[in-house]
Amino acid sequence: MLRIAPRPLGEYPWYVRLLLRAQRRKYGLVLTPALLWALGRLALAACGPWLVSADMRLAVDWLRAQPFSNGKVAAVGYCGGGRFAFLAAARCGVDGAAALYGLGISEHLAEIGNVRCPVQMHYGLKDQHIPRQEIDAVATGVQGRPSMEVFLYPEAGHSFANPVRPTYDAAATKLAGERIGRMLEAMRL
């Protein structure tokens, strides 16, 4: 499974624990590439998502080539990483993707035709960073595509799955985790 973190893992001890739990489950290897490591935090604005897509493609290809791999790769991302998880589905041939409070997905709706796998997008309706117009644009853009689902959490804000944030929502996190888990199980990841 490819997990996408927007910042270095050292800033997210809770995220490391999440990755280790996923590793212990039957999801096999969990790889978290530092997609913007060479350029810093302004990289996305400076070069667009194309460089990130190339790095994700390398990560996907590397995971598939490992002798212990069953050949299936999923991308799960949070915040800016949610956008990258969506792009991994559109550009990198992953077998499934989940974006939790993914910023900027609406900018890539023209790429929906490239997606050939299940994709879940999870949004809190009290998100302080993602305008409701963006959430609605994404939901409208994926209508009629049974493999693409948008899940809305009425009481959740941004970073609802991050237990060190004041916006952490245990109920929304549990439900999102169950939904993502079912998708991964159906993929036989």
Side-chain angles (χ1 to χ4, degrees):
M1 176 185 317
L2 172 64
R3 294 226 182 200
I4 302 166
R7 296 186 182 129
L9 286 180
E11 295 183 29
Y12 288 123
W14 66 271
Y15 190 71
V16 172
R17 288 191 301 276
L18 175 77
L19 294 175
L20 292 173
R21 280 196 306 271
Q23 187 92 16
R24 283 194 304 267
R25 292 179 73 174
K26 53 191 147 209
Y27 300 137
L29 178 70
V30 176
L31 176 66
T32 303
L35 298 173
L36 303 177
W37 67 272
L39 300 173
R41 292 186 181 192
L42 298 178
L44 191 58
C47 68
W50 294 105
L51 178 63
V52 171
S53 296
D55 284 351
M56 287 189 301
R57 172 53 88 177
L58 287 172
V60 168
D61 291 346
W62 182 85
L63 282 169
R64 284 202 171 113
Q66 298 313 299
F68 49 79
S69 172
N70 68 0
K72 296 197 177 188
V73 176
V76 178
Y78 304 82
C79 191
R83 178 185 190 180
F84 299 151
F86 177 84
L87 290 175
R91 299 178 181 176
C92 302
V94 296
D95 301 289
L100 288 92
Y101 33 91
L103 289 163
I105 292 174
S106 65
E107 297 173 29
H108 304 285
L109 293 177
E111 298 186 57
I112 286 177
N114 299 332
V115 175
R116 306 275 184 259
C117 66
V119 176
Q120 293 183 357
M121 289 153 284
H122 301 261
Y123 292 102
L125 293 181
K126 292 187 177 177
D127 195 307
Q128 308 87 329
H129 302 291
I130 302 176
R132 181 63 192 253
Q133 301 92 304
E134 169 153 345
I135 296 169
D136 291 344
V138 171
T140 300
V142 303
Q143 276 183 338
R145 299 186 179 274
S147 66
M148 301 184 84
E149 299 176 282
V150 175
F151 296 105
L152 305 176
Y153 303 87
E155 298 304 314
H158 195 74
S159 298
F160 69 79
N162 183 337
V164 300
R165 293 289 189 117
T167 53
Y168 175 67
D169 185 315
T173 299
K174 182 178 187 293
L175 184 54
E178 289 168 355
R179 289 169 166 162
I180 294 167
R182 282 193 297 272
M183 178 185 71
L184 296 174
E185 293 291 330
M187 291 171 46
R188 303 208 193 299
L189 190 64

